[in-house]
Amino acid sequence: MKSDNVKKGMQQAPHRSLFHALGFTAEEMDKPMVGIVSSYNEIVPGHMNLDKIVEAVKLGVAEAGGVPVVFPAIAVCDGIAMGHIGMKYSLVTRDLIADSTECMALAHQFDALVMVPNCDKNVPGLLMAAARINVPTVFVSGGPMLAGRVKGQKRSLSSMFEAVGAYAAGTMTGEDVREYEEKTCPTCGSCSGMYTANSMNCLTEALGMGLRGNGTIPAVYSERIRLAKHAGMAVMEMYRKDIRPRDIMTKDAILNALTVDMALGCSTNSMLHLPAIAHEIGFDFDIAFANPISEKTPNLCHLAPAGPTYMEDLNEAGGVYAVMKQLADIGLLHTDCMTVTGKTIGENIKNAVNKNPEVIRPVENPYSKTGGLAVLKGNLAPDGSVVKRSAVCDEMMVHEGPARVFDCEEDAIDAIKGGKIVAGDVVVIRYEGPKGGPGMREMLNPTSAIAGMGLGASVALITDGRFSGASRGASIGHVSPEAAVGGPIALVEEGDLIRINIPELSLELAVSDEELAARREKWQPREPKVTSGYLKRYASLVTSGNRGAILQLPGEE
């Protein structure tokens, strides 16, 4: 046992005295020590129930012969952090979570781990940590929120943000907004659409790191408690069989996750997190991998905000396994990948059934023949940009319009809500990338304002920042290189014509090379927006969005 390093032998007598202080019995000292990484807190709705999940995991571990020991991980609520300085502190927590979990697990020599995450950066941060630590590890999330119901219709957090835009446009009353406010988020859990948290929890199943239902069983269902107990049991079986995260999270598994991402229509943020997870296993993940996979992967689901179905509907339709079974049947998955069940992906999904073809379309009748995400390149984004094309209306798949340029999110929101953005415009928000933000803020407020103002079918938004999974429309993010390092987005001027062609995967600025070169000569780097604390250190180490915003020391590859 790895924990013998702190429990066995005369040299470890001082260590044992501290375990005695913890209340360990002699019997417990002879058993594997399993770290339960609890992301419980009282500020994130998706995490307020994790104490119950953790207790269930502990029971499962103990029943299967291990000694469960809980330690914490942080988590930020993106919804509460949205639209102010707090959003600079969202993405950056991914690396804090990975680093702190690595420190705790290796400092105390745990034999195995159960990760209990739920919301946006918490899931990829713990997946990154799992790859680094590489002891037997299972994930069990807190589960998604049930959809809200307003005036007889299902609603979710994106509806709430769009209601604010509708109020600004005069199409919704204050009383209507208050009703949305009170009913949109009715339970604990990660917000009810295919936003970033649910995307990553579903992709954890696709990676093979979570049990069936990890991404879809609602937070308030007792089935979620049973799942947590089984996760505790499963990690002990992994320990006995010595199955480790790097046996599971292989290159093929990452590509499986990207394929499932395309079929589900996941958040664009997955194109930040999958490269970062891949980096931890030594796989140089180019976001351009998305396009050839997307070209052959049908988009089978239109969950909110892309359509009228929600996570509870996906769960009842058969969940992630039902989607994976359809993809495997047409040869799109590597079915021999190992999983936390001790079985392969193929073995896990062989009996999965699609119980509702209205929620999970059959492969012969998809929403589109191509996947949910696309990477666009061109002279405005030489290293790439990302769009959730499954959430773009037909009218905006090809668009040409004048640039309306803003150097921060707040100025863009003021212009949108002030009626200064009109049909045909292309809103450009820059200096919001990983370095420039710093922290690459999500742009749910401006995208929701555009939709709420009735401009979703006529206005595009382009940024070196990123979008919430709740964003919809022609929202193109992760533009790389970012403005802060002199990327072409820094050279755009008010009124420049921008051409977007999503089917042809292009993003072009209609300005000559000579003119761009002249503008580059005049460009000067901006003063950093943050000059102290963690964000200063983060900005000095972070790469652009196309690299997954990973942290690298100068000279590192």
Side-chain angles (χ1 to χ4, degrees):
M1 289 188 293
K2 190 170 185 174
S3 62
D4 284 351
N5 291 328
V6 292
K7 293 190 303 188
K8 299 293 184 181
M10 184 55 66
Q11 291 298 319
Q12 280 64 46
H15 305 70
R16 287 195 297 276
S17 71
L18 295 169
F19 281 108
H20 291 314
L22 289 168
F24 270 52
T25 65
E27 292 82 0
E28 286 174 317
M29 297 284 262
D30 288 330
K31 294 178 181 179
M33 189 167 65
V34 181
I36 315 298
V37 186
S38 171
S39 305
Y40 169 78
N41 64 45
E42 294 183 342
I43 190 62
V44 183
H47 289 236
M48 64 184 284
N49 65 319
L50 295 191
D51 54 341
K52 294 177 177 61
I53 302 298
V54 166
E55 287 304 312
V57 171
K58 289 172 67 178
L59 286 171
V61 168
E63 185 174 329
V67 180
V69 181
V70 179
F71 66 88
I74 64 169
V76 163
C77 177
D78 277 25
I80 294 174
M82 195 72 64
H84 56 91
I85 191 173
M87 184 45 70
K88 294 180 185 290
Y89 287 91
S90 172
L91 177 61
V92 304
T93 65
R94 185 186 72 186
D95 296 274
L96 282 174
I97 291 161
D99 292 348
S100 59
T101 303
E102 174 191 358
C103 291
M104 288 293 288
L106 296 180
H108 301 102
Q109 293 291 285
F110 287 101
D111 296 298
L113 297 168
V114 180
M115 306 294 196
V116 187
N118 210 22
C119 290
D120 296 26
K121 312 311 157 312
N122 190 239
V123 184
L126 291 177
L127 284 165
M128 291 163 67
R132 289 183 199 173
I133 300 160
N134 203 36
V135 297
T137 302
V138 173
F139 277 66
V140 56
S141 76
M145 184 183 291
L146 293 178
R149 283 169 172 76
V150 182
K151 302 185 189 305
Q153 293 185 307
K154 286 185 178 181
R155 290 288 184 255
S156 60
L157 185 65
S158 53
S159 312
M160 184 70 253
F161 276 88
E162 290 176 16
V164 175
Y167 176 77
T171 59
M172 188 175 284
T173 67
E175 187 175 339
D176 288 334
V177 174
R178 279 189 293 275
E179 184 177 4
Y180 269 75
E181 184 180 326
E182 291 169 359
K183 297 180 178 178
T184 295
C185 298
T187 71
C188 62
S190 48
C191 296
S192 56
M194 188 54 80
Y195 309 145
T196 307
N198 293 328
S199 295
M200 294 310 302
N201 284 321
C202 287
L203 295 185
T204 298
E205 285 190 59
L207 281 169
M209 289 297 293
L211 299 176
R212 182 176 189 169
N214 178 70
T216 60
I217 297 170
V220 295
Y221 284 13
S222 296
E223 186 182 358
R224 175 67 53 180
I225 301 296
R226 296 197 297 273
L227 181 74
K229 291 177 182 177
H230 284 134
M233 297 174 195
V235 81
M236 292 307 300
E237 189 64 20
M238 288 179 71
Y239 172 77
R240 284 186 274 271
K241 293 180 177 178
D242 196 28
I243 299 172
R244 299 168 183 251
R246 287 184 208 165
D247 300 324
I248 296 170
M249 288 192 285
T250 61
K251 177 179 178 180
D252 284 349
I254 297 283
L255 296 178
N256 276 349
L258 184 55
T259 301
V260 175
D261 184 318
M262 294 298 173
L264 285 172
C266 291
S267 164
T268 53
N269 282 314
S270 64
M271 295 303 290
L272 283 174
H273 302 320
L274 287 177
I277 296 162
H279 178 73
E280 297 293 342
I281 65 165
F283 172 26
D284 187 11
F285 183 108
D286 187 326
I287 63 169
F289 291 160
N291 288 337
I293 287 180
S294 181
E295 284 304 309
K296 61 185 180 183
T297 305
N299 178 227
L300 304 180
C301 300
H302 265 193
L303 293 130
T309 53
Y310 295 81
M311 296 305 296
E312 61 203 65
D313 302 313
L314 178 60
N315 186 62
E316 290 168 12
V320 177
Y321 276 23
V323 174
M324 293 176 71
K325 177 66 163 61
Q326 295 197 165
L327 297 176
D329 285 347
I330 56 173
L332 294 183
L333 292 184
H334 300 280
T335 55
D336 58 348
C337 291
M338 179 52 62
T339 74
V340 295
T341 66
K343 299 178 181 179
T344 65
I345 287 285
E347 290 173 310
N348 284 346
I349 66 175
K350 67 179 179 181
N351 295 321
V353 175
N354 179 2
K355 300 175 183 177
N356 189 340
E358 295 301 313
V359 176
I360 305 171
R361 289 276 187 93
V363 291
E364 59 272 14
N365 181 36
Y367 282 101
S368 66
K369 293 181 179 179
T370 54
L373 299 180
V375 173
L376 313 184
K377 289 191 175 184
N379 67 348
L380 187 50
D383 292 338
S385 61
V386 181
V387 64
K388 187 173 182 176
R389 65 175 161 194
S390 61
V392 179
C393 64
D394 290 342
E395 299 94 315
M396 293 300 292
M397 295 297 279
V398 177
H399 181 74
E400 184 175 299
R404 304 298 309 279
V405 183
F406 304 94
D407 286 351
C408 68
E409 177 187 5
E410 289 83 357
D411 290 349
I413 292 170
D414 288 344
I416 296 164
K417 291 187 175 177
K420 297 177 182 178
I421 302 301
V422 299
D425 285 347
V426 178
V427 176
V428 176
I429 305 177
R430 61 192 181 188
Y431 296 100
E432 290 285 8
K435 281 186 182 294
M440 204 178 187
R441 289 194 288 180
E442 287 185 342
M443 301 288 170
L444 180 55
N445 274 340
T447 59
S448 298
I450 287 169
M453 297 284 283
L455 298 171
S458 59
V459 169
L461 194 156
I462 296 172
T463 181
D464 54 5
R466 61 195 179 94
F467 297 109
S468 164
S471 292
R472 61 186 176 99
S475 303
I476 301 168
H478 309 195
V479 171
S480 301
E482 63 173 294
V485 298
I489 192 171
L491 310 179
V492 181
E493 295 182 357
E494 187 79 9
D496 284 348
L497 197 65
I498 292 177
R499 298 188 179 114
I500 301 164
N501 192 318
I502 295 172
E504 293 187 3
L505 307 173
S506 69
L507 180 61
E508 295 285 343
L509 181 64
V511 173
S512 69
D513 292 344
E514 293 77 15
E515 173 60 20
L516 284 177
R519 292 181 188 181
R520 185 173 298 284
E521 285 292 318
K522 298 176 184 176
W523 179 79
Q524 295 291 326
R526 301 293 176 92
E527 288 295 318
K529 293 178 183 176
V530 177
T531 57
S532 64
Y534 177 60
L535 287 182
K536 178 184 178 181
R537 298 196 300 277
Y538 180 87
S540 71
L541 298 174
V542 72
T543 62
S544 278
N546 68 300
R547 299 286 311 282
I550 60 172
L551 303 186
Q552 285 192 327
L553 294 170
E556 271 190 335
E557 291 296 328

